[in-house]
Amino acid sequence: MHASGTFEVKMFSQPAEDGVGDASIGRMALDKQYHGDLAATGRGQMLATRTAVEGSAGYVALERVNGTLHGRSGSFALQHSGIMTRGTPQLTITVVPDSGSDELQGLAGTLAITITDGQHFYDFEYTLPEAG
């Protein structure tokens, strides 16, 4: 199945915590609003680091999404893994296995993001068991 639409994202820097990891690894809170086939909110956390080479960086994030997907309500988790190599991005966003709740139990799939003229778009390829 396929879902698409737009989303807005707000990211808030979080302070480093004494005794937790390396302070050079940035931590951000994520707050998203999805529109279109996925009408939902997403909240999560991201860890990111840059390198000495311009345009090279990496990030990981976990996000909990709550709302409706093609009219089926529930929540699920997304796991993000992003690499930027000298300005060339590679991003994988996958539904965490068995994270779907309510009418989204059994959800699996991958979500792609594109940004055009400052507007964020998602393209979600997924599978979902038939409603029982």
Side-chain angles (χ1 to χ4, degrees):
M1 299 183 80
H2 178 259
S4 62
T6 62
F7 70 95
E8 294 92 38
V9 60
K10 295 177 186 172
M11 298 191 316
F12 306 96
S13 292
Q14 302 295 296
E17 293 184 46
D18 287 337
V20 178
D22 185 302
S24 71
I25 297 173
R27 190 166 58 107
M28 306 285 283
L30 303 173
D31 187 358
K32 293 183 179 178
Q33 187 66 49
Y34 292 92
H35 309 282
D37 297 328
L38 174 62
T41 58
R43 291 197 170 65
Q45 293 189 43
M46 177 175 82
L47 297 174
T49 191
R50 294 180 185 220
T51 72
V53 176
E54 181 67 29
S56 291
Y59 92 92
V60 293
L62 289 171
E63 173 185 359
R64 172 62 66 181
V65 179
N66 286 288
T68 60
L69 175 60
H70 281 130
R72 291 175 68 168
S73 64
S75 69
F76 59 94
L78 291 173
Q79 180 172 319
H80 302 233
S81 178
I83 295 290
M84 179 82 75
T85 305
R86 297 186 173 117
T88 302
Q90 179 182 347
L91 177 61
T92 303
I93 305 172
T94 306
V95 175
V96 174
D98 299 316
S99 65
S101 72
D102 302 319
E103 295 176 317
L104 299 178
Q105 287 183 2
L107 178 69
T110 58
L111 189 139
I113 292 174
T114 56
I115 303 171
T116 305
D117 297 326
Q119 177 80 35
H120 290 75
F121 298 89
Y122 68 86
D123 189 58
F124 191 14
E125 295 291 335
Y126 70 93
T127 58
L128 195 55
E130 291 296 318

